[in-house]
Amino acid sequence: MKLSQFKFKLPEEQIALYPHSAVREFTNSEGKTETFRVTRSDECRLMVIHRKSQTIDMFRKDADGKPIEGEYLDFRNVLDYFDEHDTFIFNDTKVFPARLYGTKEKTDAKIEVFLLRELNEEMRLWDVLVEPARKIRIGNKLFFDDSGTMVAEVIDNTTSRGRTLRFLYDCPHDEFKRELYALGEAPLPRYIIDRRENHHGTEDDFRDFQCVFAKNEGAVTVPATGLHFTRELMKRMEIKGINFAYITLHCGLGNFHDIEVEDLTKHKMDSEQMFVGAEACRIVNKTKTEGRHVCAVGTSVVKATETAVGTDGLLKEYDGWTNKFIFPPYDFGLADSMIANFYHPYSTLLMQTAAFGGYDIVMEAYRLAVKHGYMFGCYGDALLIVND
């Protein structure tokens, strides 16, 4: 397919800058009703694509099964589409505070450093991105706190914005990581940071930009579809008898990079580290062999499971890297349903969603989403694709 086939007009006001919130009311001690807003990511809107029948659900239905215009499905309705013994696969990667701000030696020029991954624990080497890159050269020292104790030296150029830093901090590794992370902030995407009045992340952002089931540290962006799952919703799923399986894919920045070629077969994805353990394989494969539904929660899970699925359609253990780029047409081997967010035009995440659901019906869903005011991006609304 061609890049231009994934173009659509996304109104600026439909890009979510904060998690979904809901208005709550309470009566105070004086008998007056007061309102306040609370973050409720599981109350965002939900749209549902039925892949075989090529139909779309947007609204709740009355007793006769007819849609009630204006009464939109919310994410908690996802339970209505699954039964006992079905399995949801989650990505349990954990985001770390990857965005740092500091100054360059001598000039005190302000710089931003985005931590990508630690290269060598003993030598304190990190792969990073820097901004503005033109000012940061090999040999420069960068300072990250007022006391001057957290200092890094640039020892290599990797890409146009990429650098290798050696942190000059002599202490046990655990202490170093703790001190380094204390200086960082939530690595919100640039399209969020640049549109907010306050262009810095807050403590609330770091809480909001982390899945409740996050466990294995290594991601520099959140597997956003997982944000819709609250502890309350997962408890309801557990009571219903739905199984949970966890894989790990450390989400990188590759999905935010612009595609610079019209022919999608020529686009190369960045590699991301992933792990699929024996327990996840056991749960998923039992579900598959029993003929139950397997739902992949998010595009990162689809990428990981399609990397680790065998020719027999069963999940295999995996410890390595993947740079799989999925776009239509693609023959999926594992999950029969998936949940995604609504993504930006030209996004590789949109392409993967279209590959799973079918290009025409997914683009129709996106047309409806824009028309009806659904929210897009990491904090946006959700799309469920089921195989009926």
Side-chain angles (χ1 to χ4, degrees), residues 53-315:
S53 63
Q54 293 286 284
T55 57
I56 296 174
D57 295 342
M58 295 175 58
F59 304 110
R60 293 187 174 88
K61 296 178 180 179
D62 62 20
D64 297 323
K66 296 180 179 179
I68 306 171
E69 291 285 333
E71 290 194 16
Y72 293 96
L73 296 170
D74 71 40
F75 192 76
R76 295 169 298 181
N77 292 118
V78 75
L79 277 177
D80 301 337
Y81 296 86
F82 295 92
D83 297 311
E84 185 179 10
H85 304 307
D86 290 342
T87 291
F88 278 51
I89 309 176
F90 298 95
N91 182 2
D92 66 4
T93 187
K94 187 175 183 180
V95 178
F96 64 91
R99 182 172 281 118
L100 302 174
Y101 295 95
T103 56
K104 182 182 172 185
E105 65 173 339
K106 297 179 182 178
T107 66
D108 284 336
K110 295 186 182 302
I111 51 97
E112 176 185 314
V113 171
F114 196 98
L115 303 173
L116 296 177
R117 62 190 179 98
E118 190 172 32
L119 300 172
N120 185 295
E121 180 177 311
E122 183 178 351
M123 297 182 65
R124 308 283 196 267
L125 297 182
W126 279 77
D127 183 19
V128 306
L129 299 176
V130 295
E131 190 69 39
R134 66 184 183 279
K135 295 183 179 180
I136 309 302
R137 298 183 176 87
I138 293 174
N140 288 158
K141 285 188 172 64
L142 310 177
F143 295 83
F144 295 97
D145 60 4
D146 294 336
S147 66
T149 55
M150 186 62 72
V151 184
E153 181 182 8
V154 181
I155 65 170
D156 197 12
N157 297 330
T158 53
T159 64
S160 60
R161 292 177 55 222
R163 302 290 186 272
T164 300
L165 299 187
R166 180 174 64 228
F167 284 90
L168 311 175
Y169 199 92
D170 186 18
C171 67
H173 184 260
D174 288 347
E175 180 184 338
F176 161 69
K177 288 281 286 287
R178 187 168 58 251
E179 295 296 325
L180 178 65
Y181 286 178
L183 296 170
E185 64 180 45
L188 298 174
R190 285 248 68 100
Y191 72 82
I192 290 179
I193 288 289
D194 291 344
R195 286 177 171 85
R196 287 187 179 182
E197 290 184 13
N198 175 17
H199 298 310
H200 290 276
T202 65
E203 289 186 17
D204 287 345
D205 286 319
F206 196 73
R207 179 200 64 215
D208 293 337
F209 204 61
Q210 192 82 270
C211 297
V212 296
F213 45 79
K215 180 181 179 182
N216 296 310
E217 182 184 282
V220 295
T221 188
V222 72
T225 305
L227 294 176
H228 300 299
F229 289 84
T230 60
R231 290 182 174 85
E232 294 82 359
L233 177 58
M234 295 186 76
K235 189 63 178 179
R236 290 176 58 200
M237 295 169 68
E238 184 182 331
I239 292 169
K240 189 166 183 174
I242 292 174
N243 302 312
F244 303 153
Y246 296 94
I247 60 90
T248 303
L249 184 143
H250 293 316
C251 302
L253 298 182
N255 291 312
F256 296 107
H257 293 167
D258 292 337
I259 298 179
E260 298 178 347
V261 291
E262 174 68 2
D263 181 356
L264 296 183
T265 63
K266 292 180 169 57
H267 178 66
K268 303 299 181 185
M269 292 290 291
D270 291 351
S271 292
E272 295 166 304
Q273 192 173 19
M274 57 167 281
F275 308 90
V276 178
E279 180 64 4
C281 293
R282 184 191 67 79
I283 295 170
V284 171
N285 293 338
K286 184 174 186 293
T287 306
K288 288 270 290 184
T289 55
E290 291 177 350
R292 307 284 184 176
H293 295 300
V294 174
C295 180
V297 177
T299 55
S300 65
V301 171
V302 173
K303 181 189 295 186
T305 54
E306 287 303 307
T307 298
V309 68
T311 55
D312 57 359
L314 299 179
L315 192 62

